Amino acid sequence: MKQLTGSMPIAALPPSTAAWSKKELLETIEWLQSEGAATQTNLKLLTAIVESILWSEESYTRFLQCGFDAAIELFDITSQNWEFEESTSSPHNPRNWDEYKRLEKHQ
């Protein structure tokens, strides 16, 4: 966790970031650590995603697209044995998330 918060204090996150989002980010880092996946690369990628919000809308959009691509691939792999209707209507399907729909409209 220090690798992420050490280079960018949590207080530096944009004011629009809700307190629960900060809490979720920290919980995600703790989960990565507990799963042995808190590698230096993974934490640097998380840092880049968080900091991209501060750089530019274009940078943030590129990181979002990359994240959605990964989330969709993971969902497709883990849901390959699901019924089609269950898969397409699942709230876990990134294609159903509002932010993904907004991103798709702007491309």
Side-chain angles (χ1 to χ4, degrees):
M1 190 174 340
K2 288 181 182 178
Q3 288 175 313
L4 178 65
T5 58
S7 64
M8 180 178 174
I10 294 171
L13 291 172
S16 62
T17 304
W20 66 266
S21 295
K22 294 176 191 176
K23 183 177 181 272
E24 277 190 353
L25 178 60
L26 293 174
E27 288 172 357
T28 299
I29 295 166
E30 289 171 2
W31 175 77
L32 285 171
Q33 288 176 326
S34 72
E35 294 293 321
T39 64
Q40 187 173 17
T41 300
N42 288 346
L43 293 176
K44 284 183 178 182
L45 286 170
L46 279 174
T47 301
I49 292 167
V50 171
E51 289 178 347
S52 72
I53 297 166
L54 303 173
W55 296 332
S56 71
E57 187 174 332
E58 181 184 347
S59 293
Y60 182 59
T61 300
R62 287 198 322 257
F63 275 110
L64 274 181
Q65 185 60 58
C66 179
F68 278 121
D69 290 345
I72 287 169
E73 183 175 345
L74 178 62
F75 178 80
D76 288 347
I77 290 168
T78 59
S79 65
Q80 63 186 350
N81 293 325
W82 293 15
E83 295 294 327
F84 178 75
E85 290 296 322
E86 180 185 9
S87 173
T88 57
S89 64
S90 172
H92 301 293
N93 185 341
R95 294 175 187 94
N96 295 330
W97 300 346
D98 291 340
E99 188 68 27
Y100 178 75
K101 292 175 185 176
R102 279 192 292 272
L103 186 65
E104 286 299 300
K105 285 181 185 176
H106 291 112
Q107 290 189 5

